Amino acid sequence: MKHLKLEDRTCYDGSQIQPMWAFKTFGIKDSSIISWMGPMKIEPNHLVDFEDVGLEIKGNNMLHFIVEHFDVQPANINMCYHRQRILVMIIKDILNDFGIRTSRKGDDLYIKKSSSKNDKIGKLSVSIATCSISSMKIHFALNLTEKGTPKDVETAGLFECGLINEDICIITEKICKNYIIEIESITEDISKTKVF
Amino acid sequence: MKHLKLEDRTCYDGSQIQPMWAFKTFGIKDSSIISWMGPMKIEPNHLVDFEDVGLEIKGNNMLHFIVEHFDVQPANINMCYHRQRILVMIIKDILNDFGIRTSRKGDDLYIKKSSSKNDKIGKLSVSIATCSISSMKIHFALNLTEKGTPKDVETAGLFECGLINEDICIITEKICKNYIIEIESITEDISKTKVF
Amino acid sequence: MKHLKLEDRTCYDGSQIQPMWAFKTFGIKDSSIISWMGPMKIEPNHLVDFEDVGLEIKGNNMLHFIVEHFDVQPANINMCYHRQRILVMIIKDILNDFGIRTSRKGDDLYIKKSSSKNDKIGKLSVSIATCSISSMKIHFALNLTEKGTPKDVETAGLFECGLINEDICIITEKICKNYIIEIESITEDISKTKVF
Amino acid sequence: MKHLKLEDRTCYDGSQIQPMWAFKTFGIKDSSIISWMGPMKIEPNHLVDFEDVGLEIKGNNMLHFIVEHFDVQPANINMCYHRQRILVMIIKDILNDFGIRTSRKGDDLYIKKSSSKNDKIGKLSVSIATCSISSMKIHFALNLTEKGTPKDVETAGLFECGLINEDICIITEKICKNYIIEIESITEDISKTKVF
Amino acid sequence: MKHLKLEDRTCYDGSQIQPMWAFKTFGIKDSSIISWMGPMKIEPNHLVDFEDVGLEIKGNNMLHFIVEHFDVQPANINMCYHRQRILVMIIKDILNDFGIRTSRKGDDLYIKKSSSKNDKIGKLSVSIATCSISSMKIHFALNLTEKGTPKDVETAGLFECGLINEDICIITEKICKNYIIEIESITEDISKTKVF
Amino acid sequence: MKHLKLEDRTCYDGSQIQPMWAFKTFGIKDSSIISWMGPMKIEPNHLVDFEDVGLEIKGNNMLHFIVEHFDVQPANINMCYHRQRILVMIIKDILNDFGIRTSRKGDDLYIKKSSSKNDKIGKLSVSIATCSISSMKIHFALNLTEKGTPKDVETAGLFECGLINEDICIITEKICKNYIIEIESITEDISKTKVF
């Protein structure tokens, strides 16, 4: 499984969740996790979450991860959502190490935003998982800033929490590395386990 | 999926990892998570982790969880290890909420033990996952005390970290509830997801 | 698994066989069986049975069932057709209890229509099963009346057989209840079975 | 898929439910349904249904069916129980054609036994399904006579219901033929179905 | 599994790789291998190999094989590519028996073309495998002649190697027969194998 | 996937076909192909091929390959036999390059042995594939010599065909390398293929 870090600010418009995007765009013939910073504005015809129909899904600057797995054949959306949860929990853990305490509900991360007036819970992330018959795909993105996020949702951003660009780079590397190691360690565990 | 909390101090001897233990012992006809406090002393013929052959796996008092899933047919040890990881990460999160900071490597949790002399890392947990063709099983156990754990391993226990019996009860309830909700939420997510 | 009984007379045009129809139309986040009475007129672009290409599939008033299952991942059209057969056989059984003797061939039910002149076999039902990678779908419909059914096919209708609206309501409830119980009972059977 | 009819009165002792019995005993290299008439006395170590532990499962004369499927790889106990249900419903249907009205609950068939005194429900059948990683097995047996069945269970037998040996032979042929056709017809249906 | 030999010179334009082509065109309700001789000119919208985007895939006269399998449910592109490899190796073997020595790399066959000036390696074949949720498809084609093949690729053709039409007919029959026997022999092997 | 070449002359007694042998004996936590030269004498309780019950399976000196795959979960004996066929065909090809013409039937290789008197066909190899729920195993062995092979079977040996120890070493390396590349190339092919 390969990690590719994009340097340009690609806009996540939903087309990147399609199977084989990594091969068609970057020629990657393997499972992969691709990370980059950039805006998000999902086009309606690329919407994968039927619950989001009619909603605006956007942000001016987000940290994106696109995962594609070919190791499970046929692809299995149940497995894919399990891996999404593992990815989210790895991210929650690493943010915690950087002093960002989040709470998690399913595949969403939230931050408590305290002010003089009141406490609010800000949504920090968006995520979806999906499948074709031959590949499993995950998109996970963290708001770097609250700017440009939907007005009808209380959101939170990592920059507003005090992180800086250098932190984001380190966090990104850690997330991708830990996720790849996690999936590989499972294969190793299988090879030493007695079954019935 | 059902949660059953055992009140007696059953010794975990490894026989509980066998498929259908929940039905044969308690008549449970469903996926289940069973929790209890008690000692551990794994008998060699019940050893499932080939890496542990020849080792003593034991403790005087541990918090045990036995999970069995029937929802994936045929059972899949890859899926089972994914669920094990999710269970461990849920436990890590809840311990964190109770002030117990742990680090995780694969399916193991560790605690930093500071003393006047030096810092040590104590192993807090043991875990295994396995399968028959029709069921997926997970055993996860946390040391409540370091007493009775193997002498050649640096271990840690929740009581030594300052938790008390009442904490353990609350933690146990939360772990089982959150795990059940997590698995159920994945099924709900699938039903709202467009696939390719 | 949920049963939803629609009160309005939705026309079955084939769009209802598409995956996620239950979520997109009714917000159901679960496996489901949806029943209603209404006409049928399948639009060619919604045709799922390639053997029906060029045929008229229609009726003025039918009792429809749309089943969607998310419990098997990845979805499996072989399993789906097994469940379709089980559904058809449950329906055959319940009709038998109401004095309607039918014969079955694959997924079709037939009724012997006797008249002074001769005996004819009338086709009572239409059915199809299909899949996406994440869900299994079944449509099964019984003619309530022969009116509006294709002219080139000898058909039969439940009203012409002497059943009345009240019977249909009871039959519908029984079919849905028995089908749900049947699928659930299989899961229970698995949890008490020794495997090799 | 092959049908083999045994002529000798083999006792069903539970060993026949083991995978590959058909190959090891008769050299059959294919999926198969094997039928015969004979007694039943299940030896405890051959018990597959954990719910039957400690019970006597026996009868002096029963009509046995042993099914083994290799077409689904890896074998799937969920699929196997679906096929068991289909087999039971086919048998229920054919008995109905011979004037034997039965009711079904899961994999069990029952007959209402009326006498001058009262009505009783007699259990007509026993059944189990199981799997190894490579094959799916079903045992289904109908009591030909109530003689020799467990004393603590109200049972029914086909001979006591008025059927004779010649009926049983015809019924046996029909059951096996219809079951084989049913499974084959599903494969044919798949090849004409559009999927999403 | 059926073999159908087409007598007319159908142009392979890529539409034949679509699932259910055999049923929709020839009414075949089974797994099948269809063979014919004819030109190839793949239309861009029928391209299945993303690596071929922008390339011309063509030839004036090729020996085509289209395989469709329904025996594995859900279809599995991993299995499908294994069968493709087996098909290619069977073809390599049979060509060898006819004096045509080829080398193989993945799913491609090559021939060494010697001339007075130098040695060249000519590409003899094209192939792809793909899947829907319910069927696995393979296209494999051998150049009968180099005429009409892409100018930027060194190709080889069976006619230029000295084979004549009669040879091709015998070779075609052998390939289809051996492939069908191979797949069937695997099922037989399963039924005599002890598993753990 | 790893290749391990054993230097000592381990006797293949059938125990090596058991799942996890590579981990338990050599600590390999991965899919693997292990090769060595040594005798074979299968102990009856380690027999996996029910067709061989009662037969002697032996030889004084054979070239053994033991393959174990963990990449397909749950393990699938159908896939395993496909890989066995691919392994056998790779071996056939490489032997051909060394001037050893063989014929293949299923998983067996044969050599034509010509003498002044008559032509005989000698069996060159033995092979089996099997599975547990978590791993797929293949044993394939070539007779290096006819010495010590069963008397009631006409056999052939590579040494008698003129190969020497150095050839065997080169052949062994090539077989293992090509097999590993073959399986890996399939994964790569999947990542560039459009599915339906």
Side-chain angles (χ1 to χ4, degrees), chain F residues 55-99:
Chain F
L55 301 182
E56 276 190 321
I57 318 283
K58 61 179 188 175
N60 283 4
N61 198 10
M62 301 184 79
L63 173 58
H64 297 282
F65 300 92
I66 282 279
V67 177
E68 183 160 30
H69 288 289
F70 293 103
D71 62 316
V72 173
Q73 294 297 344
N76 181 326
I77 199 166
N78 195 18
M79 177 66 91
C80 192
Y81 268 113
H82 281 73
R83 290 194 175 166
Q84 182 213 41
R85 297 304 203 258
I86 287 172
L87 177 62
V88 179
M89 289 162 107
I90 284 173
I91 292 171
K92 181 178 194 296
D93 249 26
I94 290 172
L95 289 177
N96 200 37
D97 293 343
F98 276 73

Coordinates of all heavy atoms in Angstrom, one line a residue, chain F residues 55-99:
Chain F
L55 N -3.2 -45.9 -0.3 CA -2.1 -46.0 -1.2 C -0.8 -45.5 -0.5 O -0.9 -44.8 0.5 CB -2.4 -45.0 -2.4 CG -3.6 -45.3 -3.2 CD1 -3.7 -44.3 -4.4 CD2 -3.6 -46.7 -3.8
E56 N 0.3 -46.0 -1.1 CA 1.6 -45.5 -0.6 C 1.9 -44.3 -1.5 O 1.9 -44.3 -2.7 CB 2.6 -46.6 -0.9 CG 2.8 -47.6 0.3 CD 4.0 -48.4 0.0 OE1 4.3 -48.7 -1.2 OE2 4.7 -48.7 1.0
I57 N 2.3 -43.2 -0.8 CA 2.7 -42.0 -1.5 C 4.1 -41.7 -1.1 O 4.3 -41.2 0.0 CB 1.8 -40.8 -1.2 CG1 0.3 -41.2 -1.2 CG2 2.0 -39.6 -2.2 CD1 -0.3 -41.3 -2.5
K58 N 5.1 -42.0 -1.9 CA 6.5 -41.9 -1.4 C 7.5 -41.8 -2.6 O 7.1 -41.9 -3.8 CB 6.8 -43.2 -0.6 CG 6.7 -44.4 -1.5 CD 7.0 -45.7 -0.7 CE 7.1 -46.9 -1.6 NZ 7.5 -48.1 -1.0
G59 N 8.7 -41.4 -2.2 CA 9.8 -41.3 -3.2 C 11.1 -41.0 -2.4 O 11.0 -40.4 -1.3
N60 N 12.2 -41.4 -2.9 CA 13.5 -41.2 -2.2 C 14.0 -39.8 -2.2 O 14.6 -39.3 -1.3 CB 14.5 -42.2 -2.7 CG 14.4 -43.6 -2.2 OD1 13.4 -43.9 -1.6 ND2 15.3 -44.5 -2.6
N61 N 13.7 -39.1 -3.3 CA 14.2 -37.8 -3.5 C 13.3 -37.0 -4.4 O 13.1 -37.3 -5.6 CB 15.6 -37.9 -4.1 CG 16.4 -36.6 -3.9 OD1 15.9 -35.7 -3.2 ND2 17.5 -36.5 -4.6
M62 N 12.7 -36.0 -3.9 CA 11.8 -35.2 -4.6 C 12.1 -33.7 -4.4 O 12.7 -33.3 -3.4 CB 10.3 -35.5 -4.2 CG 10.0 -36.9 -4.4 SD 8.2 -37.3 -4.0 CE 7.4 -36.7 -5.5
L63 N 11.6 -32.9 -5.4 CA 11.7 -31.4 -5.2 C 10.3 -30.9 -4.8 O 9.4 -31.0 -5.5 CB 12.1 -30.8 -6.6 CG 12.1 -29.3 -6.6 CD1 13.0 -28.7 -5.6 CD2 12.4 -28.8 -8.0
H64 N 10.3 -30.5 -3.5 CA 9.0 -30.1 -2.9 C 8.8 -28.6 -2.9 O 9.7 -27.8 -2.8 CB 9.0 -30.5 -1.4 CG 9.1 -32.0 -1.2 ND1 8.1 -32.8 -1.4 CD2 10.2 -32.8 -0.9 CE1 8.4 -34.1 -1.1 NE2 9.7 -34.1 -0.9
F65 N 7.5 -28.2 -3.1 CA 7.1 -26.9 -2.9 C 5.9 -26.9 -2.0 O 4.9 -27.6 -2.2 CB 6.7 -26.2 -4.3 CG 7.8 -26.2 -5.3 CD1 8.0 -27.2 -6.2 CD2 8.7 -25.1 -5.3 CE1 9.0 -27.2 -7.1 CE2 9.7 -25.1 -6.2 CZ 9.9 -26.1 -7.1
I66 N 5.9 -26.0 -1.0 CA 4.8 -25.8 -0.1 C 4.4 -24.3 -0.2 O 5.2 -23.5 0.1 CB 5.1 -26.2 1.4 CG1 5.0 -27.7 1.6 CG2 4.1 -25.5 2.3 CD1 3.7 -28.3 1.8
V67 N 3.2 -24.1 -0.6 CA 2.7 -22.7 -0.8 C 1.6 -22.5 0.3 O 0.8 -23.3 0.5 CB 2.1 -22.5 -2.2 CG1 1.5 -21.1 -2.3 CG2 3.1 -22.8 -3.3
E68 N 1.7 -21.3 0.9 CA 0.6 -20.9 1.8 C 0.2 -19.4 1.5 O 1.0 -18.6 1.4 CB 1.0 -21.0 3.3 CG -0.2 -20.6 4.2 CD 0.0 -21.2 5.6 OE1 1.2 -21.3 6.1 OE2 -1.0 -21.5 6.3
H69 N -1.1 -19.2 1.3 CA -1.6 -17.9 1.0 C -2.6 -17.4 2.1 O -3.5 -18.1 2.5 CB -2.4 -17.9 -0.3 CG -1.6 -18.1 -1.6 ND1 -0.8 -17.1 -2.0 CD2 -1.4 -19.1 -2.4 CE1 -0.1 -17.5 -3.1 NE2 -0.5 -18.7 -3.4
F70 N -2.4 -16.2 2.5 CA -3.3 -15.5 3.5 C -4.0 -14.4 2.8 O -4.8 -13.7 3.5 CB -2.5 -15.0 4.7 CG -1.9 -16.1 5.5 CD1 -0.5 -16.4 5.4 CD2 -2.7 -16.8 6.4 CE1 0.0 -17.4 6.2 CE2 -2.1 -17.8 7.2 CZ -0.8 -18.1 7.1
D71 N -3.8 -14.1 1.5 CA -4.4 -12.9 0.9 C -5.9 -13.0 0.6 O -6.5 -11.9 0.4 CB -3.6 -12.5 -0.3 CG -3.7 -13.6 -1.4 OD1 -3.6 -14.8 -1.0 OD2 -3.9 -13.3 -2.5
V72 N -6.4 -14.2 0.6 CA -7.8 -14.4 0.3 C -8.5 -14.8 1.6 O -8.2 -15.8 2.1 CB -8.1 -15.4 -0.8 CG1 -9.5 -15.7 -1.0 CG2 -7.4 -15.0 -2.1
Q73 N -9.4 -13.9 2.1 CA -10.1 -14.2 3.3 C -11.6 -14.1 3.2 O -12.1 -13.1 2.7 CB -9.7 -13.3 4.4 CG -8.2 -13.4 4.9 CD -7.9 -14.8 5.5 OE1 -8.8 -15.5 5.9 NE2 -6.6 -15.1 5.5
P74 N -12.4 -15.1 3.6 CA -12.0 -16.4 4.1 C -11.3 -17.2 2.9 O -11.6 -16.9 1.8 CB -13.2 -17.1 4.5 CG -14.3 -16.4 3.8 CD -13.9 -15.0 3.5
A75 N -10.4 -18.1 3.3 CA -9.7 -19.0 2.3 C -10.8 -19.7 1.5 O -11.9 -19.9 1.9 CB -8.8 -20.0 3.0
N76 N -10.4 -20.0 0.3 CA -11.3 -20.5 -0.7 C -10.6 -21.6 -1.5 O -9.7 -21.4 -2.2 CB -11.7 -19.3 -1.7 CG -12.7 -19.7 -2.7 OD1 -12.7 -20.8 -3.2 ND2 -13.5 -18.7 -3.1
I77 N -11.1 -22.9 -1.3 CA -10.5 -24.0 -1.9 C -10.6 -24.0 -3.4 O -9.7 -24.5 -4.1 CB -11.0 -25.3 -1.3 CG1 -9.9 -26.4 -1.6 CG2 -12.3 -25.7 -1.8 CD1 -10.1 -27.7 -0.8
N78 N -11.6 -23.3 -3.9 CA -11.7 -23.2 -5.4 C -10.6 -22.3 -5.9 O -9.9 -22.7 -6.8 CB -13.1 -22.5 -5.7 CG -13.5 -22.6 -7.1 OD1 -13.0 -23.5 -7.9 ND2 -14.4 -21.8 -7.5
M79 N -10.4 -21.1 -5.3 CA -9.2 -20.3 -5.6 C -7.9 -21.0 -5.5 O -7.0 -20.9 -6.3 CB -9.3 -19.0 -4.7 CG -8.1 -18.1 -4.9 SD -8.2 -17.3 -6.6 CE -9.1 -15.9 -6.2
C80 N -7.8 -21.8 -4.4 CA -6.6 -22.5 -4.1 C -6.2 -23.5 -5.2 O -5.1 -23.6 -5.6 CB -6.7 -23.2 -2.8 SG -5.2 -23.9 -2.1
Y81 N -7.3 -24.2 -5.7 CA -7.0 -25.1 -6.8 C -6.7 -24.4 -8.1 O -5.9 -24.9 -9.0 CB -8.2 -26.1 -7.0 CG -8.0 -27.4 -6.2 CD1 -8.8 -27.7 -5.2 CD2 -7.0 -28.3 -6.6 CE1 -8.7 -28.9 -4.5 CE2 -6.8 -29.5 -5.8 CZ -7.7 -29.8 -4.8 OH -7.5 -30.9 -4.1
H82 N -7.3 -23.2 -8.3 CA -6.9 -22.4 -9.5 C -5.4 -22.0 -9.4 O -4.7 -22.1 -10.4 CB -7.7 -21.1 -9.5 CG -9.1 -21.3 -10.1 ND1 -10.1 -22.0 -9.4 CD2 -9.6 -21.0 -11.3 CE1 -11.2 -22.0 -10.2 NE2 -10.9 -21.5 -11.3
R83 N -4.9 -21.7 -8.2 CA -3.5 -21.3 -8.0 C -2.6 -22.5 -8.2 O -1.5 -22.5 -8.8 CB -3.3 -20.6 -6.7 CG -3.9 -19.3 -6.6 CD -3.4 -18.4 -5.5 NE -4.0 -17.1 -5.6 CZ -4.0 -16.2 -4.6 NH1 -3.4 -16.5 -3.5 NH2 -4.5 -15.0 -4.8
Q84 N -3.1 -23.7 -7.7 CA -2.3 -24.9 -7.9 C -2.1 -25.2 -9.4 O -1.0 -25.5 -9.9 CB -3.1 -26.1 -7.3 CG -2.4 -27.4 -7.4 CD -3.3 -28.6 -7.5 OE1 -4.3 -28.5 -8.3 NE2 -3.0 -29.7 -6.8
R85 N -3.2 -25.0 -10.2 CA -3.1 -25.2 -11.6 C -2.1 -24.2 -12.3 O -1.3 -24.6 -13.1 CB -4.5 -25.0 -12.3 CG -5.6 -26.0 -11.9 CD -5.2 -27.5 -12.1 NE -6.3 -28.3 -12.3 CZ -6.8 -29.1 -11.3 NH1 -6.2 -29.2 -10.1 NH2 -7.8 -29.9 -11.5
I86 N -2.1 -23.0 -11.8 CA -1.2 -22.0 -12.3 C 0.2 -22.4 -12.0 O 1.1 -22.3 -12.8 CB -1.6 -20.6 -11.8 CG1 -2.8 -20.1 -12.5 CG2 -0.4 -19.6 -12.0 CD1 -3.4 -18.8 -11.9
L87 N 0.4 -22.9 -10.7 CA 1.8 -23.3 -10.3 C 2.2 -24.5 -11.2 O 3.4 -24.5 -11.7 CB 1.7 -23.7 -8.9 CG 3.1 -24.3 -8.3 CD1 4.2 -23.3 -8.4 CD2 2.9 -24.8 -6.9
V88 N 1.3 -25.4 -11.4 CA 1.7 -26.6 -12.3 C 2.1 -26.2 -13.7 O 3.1 -26.7 -14.3 CB 0.6 -27.7 -12.3 CG1 1.0 -28.9 -13.1 CG2 0.3 -28.1 -10.9
M89 N 1.3 -25.3 -14.2 CA 1.5 -24.8 -15.6 C 2.8 -24.0 -15.7 O 3.5 -24.1 -16.7 CB 0.3 -24.0 -16.1 CG -0.9 -25.0 -16.3 SD -2.4 -24.0 -16.4 CE -2.8 -24.1 -18.2
I90 N 3.1 -23.2 -14.7 CA 4.4 -22.5 -14.7 C 5.6 -23.5 -14.6 O 6.6 -23.4 -15.4 CB 4.5 -21.6 -13.4 CG1 3.6 -20.4 -13.7 CG2 5.9 -21.2 -13.1 CD1 3.5 -19.4 -12.4
I91 N 5.4 -24.6 -13.8 CA 6.5 -25.6 -13.8 C 6.6 -26.3 -15.1 O 7.7 -26.5 -15.6 CB 6.2 -26.6 -12.6 CG1 6.3 -25.9 -11.3 CG2 7.0 -27.8 -12.7 CD1 5.8 -26.7 -10.1
K92 N 5.5 -26.7 -15.7 CA 5.5 -27.3 -17.0 C 6.3 -26.5 -18.0 O 7.1 -27.0 -18.8 CB 4.1 -27.6 -17.5 CG 3.9 -28.3 -18.8 CD 2.4 -28.5 -19.1 CE 2.2 -29.4 -20.3 NZ 2.7 -29.0 -21.6
D93 N 6.0 -25.2 -18.0 CA 6.7 -24.3 -18.9 C 8.2 -24.2 -18.7 O 9.0 -24.2 -19.7 CB 6.1 -22.9 -18.7 CG 5.3 -22.4 -19.8 OD1 4.7 -23.3 -20.6 OD2 5.1 -21.2 -20.0
I94 N 8.6 -24.1 -17.5 CA 10.0 -24.0 -17.2 C 10.7 -25.3 -17.5 O 11.8 -25.3 -18.0 CB 10.2 -23.6 -15.7 CG1 9.7 -22.1 -15.5 CG2 11.7 -23.7 -15.2 CD1 9.7 -21.6 -14.1
L95 N 10.1 -26.4 -17.2 CA 10.7 -27.7 -17.5 C 10.9 -27.8 -19.1 O 11.9 -28.3 -19.6 CB 9.8 -28.9 -17.1 CG 9.8 -29.1 -15.5 CD1 8.9 -30.3 -15.2 CD2 11.2 -29.5 -15.0
N96 N 9.9 -27.3 -19.8 CA 10.0 -27.3 -21.2 C 11.2 -26.5 -21.7 O 11.9 -26.9 -22.7 CB 8.7 -26.6 -21.8 CG 8.4 -27.0 -23.3 OD1 8.7 -28.1 -23.7 ND2 7.9 -26.0 -24.0
D97 N 11.4 -25.4 -21.1 CA 12.6 -24.6 -21.4 C 13.9 -25.3 -21.2 O 14.9 -25.0 -21.8 CB 12.6 -23.3 -20.6 CG 11.5 -22.3 -21.0 OD1 10.9 -22.5 -22.0 OD2 11.2 -21.4 -20.2
F98 N 13.9 -26.3 -20.3 CA 15.0 -27.1 -20.0 C 15.0 -28.4 -20.8 O 15.7 -29.4 -20.5 CB 15.1 -27.4 -18.5 CG 15.8 -26.3 -17.7 CD1 15.2 -25.1 -17.5 CD2 17.1 -26.4 -17.3 CE1 15.8 -24.1 -16.8 CE2 17.7 -25.4 -16.6 CZ 17.1 -24.2 -16.3
G99 N 14.2 -28.5 -21.8 CA 14.1 -29.6 -22.7 C 13.3 -30.8 -22.2 O 13.4 -31.9 -22.7

